[in-house]
Amino acid sequence: MNPTRKRRLWLVLALVAAAGLATALIALALQRNVAYLYTPHEVLDGSAGREVRDGRATFRLGGMVAAGSFKRAPGSMEAHFTVDDGDARLPVVYTGILPDLFREKQSVIATGRMRGDVFVAEQVLAKHDETYMPKEVADKMGAAHRKHQVQAAPATPAGGRP
């Protein structure tokens, strides 16, 4: 093989190796930042995984805010409530301002991790319906709505009037 071809071959191999390394680093970075959605039943029965149950992994908890479970001490930003999926209940603690749509017997998605038997939320999202949810979230929330017999909001036509 002549020197010019040999140099080109090494250049091509170096570019392929660099592209492979960059792809691997991007995949690792994305994998660490993924937060999967689990229901209380999946967390408590262990099907979400040992890291989720032990508090080593951050994840999203989805379900319904159980009726009568919301408590906040006067003058405190710490909220306590229970998320229910119809099969299991998981207590949640959140410090901060809750969204306007947050209320009992409504869908909620909280991001955080387990600490003992309590889910410590870093962020709470509340939805009144499944209009702008990913399919995975909408399916799990729809199942929770059916289990709790929550009525769906009536559909409104494009003009905005029922």
Side-chain angles (χ1 to χ4, degrees):
M1 189 181 296
N2 68 29
T4 306
R5 280 191 175 174
K6 197 173 194 179
R7 197 172 337 138
R8 280 187 197 150
L9 179 63
W10 282 111
L11 180 63
V12 169
L13 288 175
L15 288 173
V16 169
L21 180 64
T23 302
L25 290 173
I26 290 170
L28 276 171
L30 291 175
Q31 187 177 12
R32 278 191 219 140
N33 292 327
V34 170
Y36 294 102
L37 175 78
Y38 298 111
T39 62
H41 177 71
E42 292 170 332
V43 173
L44 294 174
D45 78 354
S47 63
R50 176 179 244 155
E51 287 185 350
V52 167
R53 185 73 177 104
D54 293 344
R56 292 179 295 196
T58 298
F59 66 98
R60 294 179 298 157
L61 177 68
M64 307 289 287
V65 178
S69 69
F70 180 74
K71 292 173 183 54
R72 183 186 303 243
S76 172
M77 294 294 287
E78 187 172 276
H80 297 263
F81 56 94
T82 303
V83 174
D84 186 0
D85 66 356
D87 294 325
R89 289 178 164 225
L90 189 62
V92 177
V93 174
Y94 174 68
T95 302
I97 298 172
L98 290 166
D100 291 338
L101 294 175
F102 181 88
R103 61 183 55 91
E104 294 176 348
K105 295 190 89 176
Q106 290 295 330
S107 301
V108 67
I109 300 170
T111 304
R113 60 182 62 220
M114 293 296 293
R115 186 178 303 147
D117 291 333
V118 176
F119 181 77
V120 179
E122 299 164 0
Q123 180 183 27
V124 174
L125 302 172
K127 298 284 186 182
H128 66 285
D129 62 13
E130 287 76 29
T131 306
Y132 298 108
M133 283 191 189
K135 183 176 178 1
E136 170 194 13
V137 177
D139 291 345
K140 289 185 179 186
M141 294 301 103
H145 274 191
R146 286 189 296 279
K147 285 181 183 178
H148 292 280
Q149 289 120 16
V150 173
Q151 298 297 320
T156 56
R161 292 186 184 142

